[in-house]
Amino acid sequence: MPLQVPGFLLRRLYVRGSLRRTDDGFQLELKNTLGSGYARRLLPLQVNGVQIPLASCFFEVEGVRRAFADVTPDSPFSLALNRTSLLGGEDTSLPDGVVEVTIGFEVQGLGELSFSVKDTPASD
């Protein structure tokens, strides 16, 4: 049975106040202060319980942008310690007020993990 990681620990990855509207969708920041890790697969982002198409989800690390669909066991998403990553959705508009975003991923030995954060988006 895979080890369970509590949601409150995973929520610590989210940089509070980083949820922003952009010209083509939205983005948010994750900063890993827990320990280096790798995701073998990224699950589609969800906004208020509605799944965003995987083809519209992206991440950016050190200025290099990649699609969620490009993450595989051979080409993982690296969440290095103390590094900030942008995650976002294209062609997705955020409603006004508090928004809940769910982030999920698959980690070797842990299986699928997910967590949700609530924040009020700012405009870019």
Side-chain angles (χ1 to χ4, degrees):
M1 181 162 149
L3 176 68
Q4 296 296 311
V5 179
F8 76 89
L9 278 179
L10 293 173
R11 277 190 291 279
R12 290 179 47 195
L13 296 171
Y14 175 66
V15 177
R16 183 146 304 281
S18 69
L19 182 60
R20 304 190 66 73
R21 291 181 180 94
T22 63
D23 290 339
D24 63 346
F26 74 95
Q27 67 184 32
L28 57 88
E29 294 180 9
L30 298 182
K31 183 170 183 177
N32 183 8
T33 59
L34 303 174
S36 293
Y38 297 91
R40 303 161 39 114
R41 182 168 63 104
L42 295 174
L43 305 176
L45 295 169
Q46 294 181 37
V47 174
N48 291 340
V50 177
Q51 185 170 297
I52 298 170
L54 188 64
S56 295
C57 298
F58 68 89
F59 69 93
E60 188 176 308
V61 178
E62 295 182 345
V64 178
R65 188 167 171 159
R66 289 180 56 199
F68 275 24
D70 292 343
V71 176
T72 66
D74 294 329
S75 182
F77 169 68
S78 173
L79 199 54
L81 187 62
N82 294 320
R83 180 182 296 159
T84 300
S85 303
L86 288 176
L87 276 71
E90 298 172 329
D91 303 320
T92 303
S93 59
L94 298 179
D96 291 333
V98 177
V99 175
E100 181 178 50
V101 179
T102 302
I103 302 162
F105 43 91
E106 180 184 332
V107 177
Q108 172 101 23
L110 297 176
E112 286 187 9
L113 305 173
S114 67
F115 65 99
S116 295
V117 296
K118 292 182 179 180
D119 209 344
T120 303
S123 294
D124 198 16

